Amino acid sequence: AKGSGKSGWRRYQSDLHTAMVQRLEMRTALHEAIEREQFVLQYQPIVELADQRVTGVEALVRWQHPSRGLLSPFFFVEAAEESGAIVGIGSWVIREALRQFARWRVGNPQTTLRYVSVNVSARQFRTVDFVDQIRRALDESGARPQWLLLEITESLVLRDAEKVLADLKALRAMGVRIAIDDFGTGYSSLSYLRQMPVDVLKLDKSFIDDILTSRQQHALVDAIVTLSHNLDLAVVAEGIEEVGQRAALDAMGCRYGQGYHFAKPLWPADIPALAVAPSAR
Ligand code: C2E
Ligand code: CA
Ligand code: CA
Ligand code: CA
């Protein structure tokens, strides 16, 4: 039978060994990549649905691998989370995004950019000095706290709520805003979230995908948008790919959106030209 006998056991051991070696190699590679400054950021515009004005950008990390080329987070974020390398990577991401954003903003009053959104992994958020890290990064970059939006996940808010809650309050007292990323993929409810110091809901792409084809999905998103507004939460619809989705969300009163319909993640050099008033484009 499968897996029985000596050869099955050996195969199991050797698979396990391979997996361990791969994990170790990945871990070493990720730490080297930090030291060699191989991570880079792209920025995806977040727009006002009414007039397509670019109000913010989300920083998205990529690994500029010397032999494999530009790697998407799909290939390394999970491994980085497991090995703890995400703490170092994430700290760099915050510093780099704030440095870049301050360059776009300072001395440029006509820009439409109001904030940069940064993804924070649960492991990174739970480091003891996370709030201090943010404070230092803001000081170093000269960026205002209001320019920073931190994207966290529902599961982070649900687990060890005490410490997370205290840190979220401290960040908000500084002026930093908080978004719940991928809303709808987890188990939290809007009424629970309302007790949390949160400013923005990012509605997951899986919710947006079917709003034109499913009446139920349309009704659900409509209800979430209305309820969020009643709770003073701003809503960003993620993964808008079609003009019809943009129009439907706009008609629901959803104010912000992000997706390939507007722009893919872009290199920093391409952002300033987009961040001007729609009439000036
Ligand atoms: P996310 O935070 O949900 O980011 C949105 C992802 O959806 C991005 O993928 C973006 O390129 C993609 N996307 C945006 N609009 C569309 C669309 O219209 N259609 C489709 N099909 N996709 C769209 P990306 O850049 O590959 O990032 C994947 C995930 O990796 C992110 O999902 C986020 O969870 C994680 N990630 C990215 N950067 C960081 C980071 O600096 N730190 C941490 N911890 N995680 C990150
Ligand atoms: Ca995100
Ligand atoms: Ca998301
Ligand atoms: Ca997502």
Side-chain angles (χ1 to χ4, degrees), residues 181-195:
D181 200 2
D182 304 337
F183 180 76
T185 58
Y187 299 95
S188 59
S189 66
L190 274 171
S191 59
Y192 175 79
L193 273 184
R194 183 55 293 181
Q195 303 162 27

Side-chain angles (χ1 to χ4, degrees), residues 64-278:
Q64 186 73 70
H65 195 279
S67 57
R68 288 186 223 166
L70 197 66
L71 296 181
S72 104
F74 173 79
F75 293 102
F76 63 89
V77 159
E78 212 179 293
E81 177 93 21
E82 272 172 27
S83 73
I86 196 70
V87 174
I89 298 169
S91 155
W92 176 83
V93 168
I94 289 171
R95 282 178 284 123
E96 174 61 16
L98 287 176
R99 185 195 67 79
Q100 177 62 261
F101 194 78
R103 287 178 69 179
W104 284 329
R105 272 293 302 243
V106 174
N108 189 11
Q110 70 278 18
T111 183
T112 59
L113 291 178
R114 290 184 303 172
Y115 65 93
V116 60
S117 211
V118 177
N119 293 285
V120 178
S121 87
R123 184 130 178 198
Q124 183 189 358
F125 194 96
R126 288 202 183 90
T127 52
V128 280
D129 66 338
F130 182 71
V131 175
D132 277 340
Q133 221 188 87
I134 298 291
R135 198 175 282 123
R136 278 197 305 272
L138 286 166
D139 282 348
E140 279 168 27
S141 64
R144 294 190 204 147
Q146 290 74 14
W147 297 350
L148 180 61
L149 180 68
L150 295 178
E151 299 193 5
I152 61 174
T153 57
E154 290 170 67
S155 56
L156 173 72
V157 184
L158 291 173
R159 272 187 291 147
D160 67 323
E162 296 274 297
K163 193 236 176 213
V164 170
L165 189 61
D167 283 358
L168 289 176
K169 282 183 177 158
L171 288 164
R172 247 178 145 213
M174 284 164 57
V176 173
R177 292 187 313 141
I178 311 293
I180 298 291
D181 200 2
D182 304 337
F183 180 76
T185 58
Y187 299 95
S188 59
S189 66
L190 274 171
S191 59
Y192 175 79
L193 273 184
R194 183 55 293 181
Q195 303 162 27
M196 288 293 173
V198 165
D199 306 277
V200 177
L201 276 195
K202 297 195 74 177
L203 254 185
D204 192 66
K205 177 176 184 299
S206 58
F207 272 75
I208 308 305
D209 282 342
D210 301 326
I211 55 169
L212 296 181
T213 49
S214 154
R215 213 163 48 81
Q216 283 95 336
Q217 203 63 10
H218 185 283
L220 189 58
V221 171
D222 197 357
I224 293 174
V225 170
T226 304
L227 196 52
S228 300
H229 289 166
N230 289 338
L231 297 171
D232 285 327
L233 292 166
V235 181
V236 178
E238 297 189 298
I240 299 177
E241 296 183 342
E242 297 170 38
V243 64
Q245 292 170 330
R246 185 199 75 78
L249 287 156
D250 188 26
M252 288 176 200
C254 178
R255 190 155 167 206
Y256 305 102
Q258 180 178 0
Y260 294 171
H261 169 63
F262 306 106
K264 293 199 167 176
L266 302 168
W267 292 114
D270 297 324
I271 296 295
L274 293 178
V276 295

